[in-house]
Amino acid sequence: MNIVVLVKQVPDTATERKLDPADSTVDRAASDGVINELDEYAIEEALLLKEKHGGEVTILSAGPDQATDSIRKALSMGADKAVHLNDAALHGSDALQTAYALAQALGTVEYDLVILGSESTDARTGVVGAALAEYLGLPQLTLANKVDIDGTSVRIQRQTDEGYDVVEATLPAVVSVVEKINEPRYPSFKLIMAAKKKPVAKLGAADAGIDTARVGLANATTEVVDFAAAPPRAAGTVVKDEGNGGVQIADYLAAKKFL
Amino acid sequence: MAEVLVLVDHVDGQVKKVALELLTAARRIGEPAAVVVGEATDGIKAKLAEYGAEKVYTAPAELDDYVVAPKAELLATLATDRSAAAVLLSATAENKEIAGRTAVKLGSGVLTDVVDITADVVAEHSVFGGAVVTHAKVRTGVPVVAVRPNAIAAEAAPGAAVEEAVSVELSDSAKAARVTERVKQEQGSRPELTEAAVVVSGGRGVGGDDFSVVENLADSLGGAVGASRAAVDSGWYPNAFQVGQTGRTVSPNLYIALGISGAIQHRAGMQTSKTIVAVNKDPEAPLLEISDFAVVGDLHKVAPQLTEEINKRK
Ligand SMILES: Cc1cc2nc3c(=O)[nH]c(=O)nc-3n(C[C@H](O)[C@H](O)[C@H](O)COP(=O)(O)OP(=O)(O)OC[C@H]3O[C@@H](n4cnc5c(N)ncnc54)[C@H](O)[C@@H]3O)c2cc1C
Ligand SMILES: Cc1cc2nc3c(=O)[nH]c(=O)nc-3n(C[C@H](O)[C@H](O)[C@H](O)COP(=O)(O)OP(=O)(O)OC[C@H]3O[C@@H](n4cnc5c(N)ncnc54)[C@H](O)[C@@H]3O)c2cc1C
């Protein structure tokens, strides 16, 4: 069971995140880069599956130089090796272009399963997994809160608005995870040290067979026309409950015509 | 005028409100054409006509036997055959996936979680937890746009709703991921979470699996019940009710948070609510920063008093 986990580096949600006025892409200098939270769940799931079924876990990340930090972190959780797709031509790629580039990069690795997060915390489009399955022509088993492998078949519980669907397919397949699936482990000191020596293959667009006319800001299928800081919410009223807090809310709701 | 395809969300023979919002948005761009997968009951067709659907394309329910790909094939085929001006869907987790695959097939682009849209398909987004507002458009091909429920007000306008059954020959790869079982959690009689005008959510501060303090307040306002991840993870309330980054995104007129601290992942799912009210015993809770009205106090005292007061004033 060889598994590739897709890991995106995103600006830390705990910091003030900004767009770069020059080209409306994420201002990476403004915040620390961290692993997209859900991708830690994807890594954990891959490690659990490896513990059960053997094989290797490979991290694949598309991003600039600083993505190396997130790749090392992923390796220190226990992944075996990594592929870093890094090429200036990819800067400013939108969600579908990113999925295309990742699909091409996957062509350089052997795998039975691709696992990714169901959504990033910065762009939050939630489309990369589905678009990837489309590009690869592989079964889409996304939004999983449970994954079981049996020989060459894979079965997941797909989280829905009403509950869950049981979905089955044959390997290879694309699986995305929601945070209900597991509890990501913390890297041990030993693994952190070991991660420093694990191989990280550098991949340029050409190495992955990526057509550079199909990626990057200039060729993006979407375009940010403008952006601005949201108008600040008018400072709200905060009152301390002196025994009539409920009545005070009712008065507020009545004034706002909710009652 | 070019057709604008609207994928219709429906359940138990009823159109979901978001579909009417999408038809309203579609009218700005062109001629709304509803796409219904599964049985288009008379009730569904009447509602679609009332909100301006000129056409109603119906496709067999079997498309739902497989994950996402069949609906993308349907929408991409229709968009091409009818030279559609745009494809609109609701921004649910599943529909965003359908949007992505449809756009790949069309060689176009996709915009998700949109909160407004203009006649020339420029879409407004609220990003980074509501801190930044962006406008974006699709540069190539038929734009595929997923719109957040409750973001655009539905307005009635009569449409012809001419029905046309469409058949799709599904590719093998569209049938690769089979749905073998559907498990539904009890929703009760309350309004659907993403559609509700009022949402009352409970967090860790509720303190246990007796959520009645939250439910009673929701019921007094005719609202839906939501929960933070802490409450869901503690097993106090079902998963389907989680609001936030990895739960549901809600945008009601009124959001009341009881005992929820307001972590960024929670705010990501409710920040675009029009009015936010919070009850929290901690004056430093981050949610208070984005609340229009907040009471610092014990929710087990404040919420029952509020419920009683609302019921009294009815
Ligand atoms: C505020 C903002 C809004 C945006 N809106 C849009 C939009 O509406 N439409 C659009 O086409 N683009 C949009 N983009 C661009 C888009 O975010 C990037 O192209 C991004 O690389 C992929 O989209 P995502 O993060 O939303 O992916 P998601 O689909 O949310 O991510 C799911 C998973 O895909 C994997 N993944 C995603 N990117 C990578 C990567 N680089 N390397 C490895 N794994 C990865 C991760 O496992 C992740 O958990 C937006 C960007 C920003 C900053
Ligand atoms: C990948 C990932 C995804 C996530 N997705 C989500 C998501 O979708 N939705 C989500 O909600 N969270 C999500 N989280 C979790 C999030 O980070 C927070 O942990 C969670 O929102 C906290 O829930 P809470 O506010 O109920 O609990 P806490 O943060 O513990 O806050 C409880 C609050 O209740 C108050 N309180 C306690 N007792 C009382 C009382 N008697 N009266 C009044 N107030 C009281 C306290 O002062 C406190 O502010 C996610 C986290 C990760 C890592």
Side-chain angles (χ1 to χ4, degrees):
Chain A
M1 267 289 294
N2 291 321
I3 304 173
V4 179
V5 183
L6 303 185
V7 171
K8 183 185 187 188
Q9 188 179 56
V10 296
D12 192 342
T13 52
T15 61
E16 190 192 348
R17 294 169 291 170
K18 291 192 178 125
L19 293 175
D20 183 347
D23 62 3
S24 304
T25 61
V26 172
D27 183 349
R28 292 176 193 269
S31 321
D32 290 339
V34 296
I35 293 187
N36 179 46
E37 283 169 348
L38 279 173
D39 300 353
E40 293 188 17
Y41 294 74
I43 297 164
E44 177 66 32
E45 197 58 24
L47 295 173
L48 293 173
L49 288 170
K50 175 189 160 169
E51 283 159 14
K52 238 188 197 161
H53 304 281
E56 272 195 325
V57 175
T58 306
I59 304 298
L60 169 59
S61 185
D65 295 349
Q66 60 266 47
T68 317
D69 297 344
S70 295
I71 291 171
R72 287 289 164 203
K73 166 98 194 285
L75 291 172
S76 69
M77 284 177 71
D80 298 290
K81 56 189 173 57
V83 177
H84 184 180
L85 176 61
N86 182 359
D87 197 310
L90 292 166
H91 175 77
S93 294
D94 62 28
L96 300 186
Q97 292 176 308
T98 302
Y100 159 72
L102 292 170
Q104 290 298 115
L106 280 165
T108 68
V109 198
E110 271 188 35
Y111 60 88
D112 305 291
L113 204 58
V114 180
I115 309 187
L116 71 163
S118 50
E119 194 174 285
S120 69
T121 53
D122 57 350
R124 298 191 64 195
T125 66
V127 307
V128 167
L132 193 65
E134 178 73 30
Y135 280 120
L136 294 171
L138 292 182
Q140 175 188 337
L141 294 98
T142 44
L143 303 169
N145 58 31
K146 192 170 188 299
V147 180
D148 289 307
I149 309 273
D150 184 5
T152 57
S153 64
V154 48
R155 174 208 294 251
I156 65 152
Q157 285 186 6
R158 171 175 167 85
Q159 183 175 299
T160 64
D161 286 350
E162 290 84 29
Y164 65 87
D165 291 349
V166 179
V167 180
E168 294 179 8
T170 28
L171 298 173
V174 176
V175 167
S176 83
V177 300
V178 297
E179 107 282 342
K180 291 285 169 301
I181 195 162
N182 58 42
E183 201 49 63
R185 65 193 68 185
Y186 288 103
S188 67
F189 180 70
K190 206 173 127 219
L191 279 170
I192 293 173
M193 296 316 286
K196 298 201 164 106
K197 297 196 202 76
K198 288 178 179 170
V200 179
K202 301 273 175 207
L203 209 62
D207 307 321
I210 292 168
D211 176 358
T212 49
R214 291 181 65 181
V215 292
L217 195 64
N219 308 305
T221 60
T222 58
E223 177 186 349
V224 176
V225 184
D226 60 44
F227 71 88
R233 279 189 97 98
T237 311
V238 180
V239 299
K240 200 170 169 306
D241 181 33
E242 307 282 3
N244 65 340
V247 175
Q248 284 182 292
I249 298 178
D251 289 343
Y252 174 78
L253 295 181
K256 297 282 277 182
K257 306 255 179 298
F258 285 113
L259 302 184
Chain B
M1 233 193 327
E3 287 183 15
V4 178
L5 299 177
V6 170
L7 182 64
V8 174
D9 293 345
H10 60 96
V11 64
D12 301 332
Q14 301 288 323
V15 176
K16 288 209 184 184
K17 194 175 75 180
V18 65
L20 311 178
E21 296 164 5
L22 294 176
L23 288 172
T24 307
R27 287 206 301 273
R28 299 175 187 168
I29 302 163
E31 190 180 282
V35 181
V36 180
V37 175
E39 197 195 348
T41 60
D42 290 342
I44 288 177
K45 281 183 286 194
K47 258 289 187 261
L48 297 175
E50 192 184 330
Y51 283 82
E54 295 298 337
K55 293 228 179 78
V56 178
Y57 295 119
T58 58
E62 286 72 64
L63 267 59
D64 272 327
D65 294 348
Y66 311 94
V67 176
V68 167
K71 282 180 175 165
E73 287 193 351
L74 169 71
L75 290 175
T77 306
L78 273 173
T80 306
D81 289 355
R82 320 289 151 137
S83 310
V87 180
L88 305 187
L89 311 86
S90 68
T92 61
E94 167 147 324
N95 283 356
K96 289 198 283 187
E97 296 186 331
I98 295 172
R101 292 191 78 140
T102 304
V104 171
K105 286 180 183 302
L106 291 170
S108 62
V110 62
L111 300 168
T112 61
D113 258 321
V114 160
V115 295
D116 205 359
I117 191 164
T118 67
D120 28 3
V121 204
V122 174
E124 183 171 307
H125 288 95
S126 165
V127 305
F128 294 159
V132 177
V133 176
T134 67
H135 294 97
K137 63 180 185 197
V138 171
R139 288 161 82 192
T140 48
V142 186
V144 182
V145 185
V147 183
R148 196 176 278 186
N150 264 339
I152 294 173
E155 285 161 29
V162 178
E163 190 176 343
E164 185 182 333
V166 287
S167 61
V168 264
E169 196 63 55
L170 293 182
S171 69
D172 284 341
S173 75
K175 294 195 262 189
R178 303 177 310 279
V179 179
T180 55
E181 190 187 344
R182 284 185 198 285
V183 179
K184 297 206 175 193
Q185 286 168 335
E186 194 49 59
Q187 296 274 3
S189 55
R190 297 192 183 90
E192 212 274 327
L193 189 52
T194 50
E195 309 243 293
V198 178
V199 174
V200 182
S201 289
R204 203 194 305 274
V206 173
D209 60 4
D210 179 2
F211 241 57
S212 60
V213 64
V214 184
E215 291 176 332
N216 292 344
L217 179 55
D219 290 342
S220 74
L221 290 158
V225 173
S228 74
R229 178 177 167 202
V232 170
D233 280 1
S234 306
W236 302 344
Y237 224 65
N239 191 24
F241 296 89
Q242 180 172 318
V243 171
Q245 168 95 41
T246 43
R248 317 280 289 279
T249 299
V250 301
S251 201
N253 294 331
L254 174 61
Y255 187 86
I256 304 183
L258 303 177
I260 294 177
S261 60
I264 184 86
Q265 297 92 346
H266 187 79
R267 298 206 308 259
M270 47 66 72
Q271 190 122 18
T272 50
S273 303
K274 277 109 207 155
T275 298
I276 299 171
V277 172
V279 180
N280 199 305
K281 65 180 186 194
D282 175 11
E284 305 292 326
L287 195 69
L288 302 197
E289 288 162 26
I290 60 160
S291 297
D292 299 286
F293 194 88
V295 172
V296 177
D298 184 353
L299 71 91
H300 290 287
K301 299 203 174 97
V302 177
Q305 186 183 65
L306 172 58
T307 306
E308 192 190 319
E309 194 64 23
I310 292 168
N311 288 333
K312 225 191 303 180
R313 295 186 192 192
K314 269 185 192 154

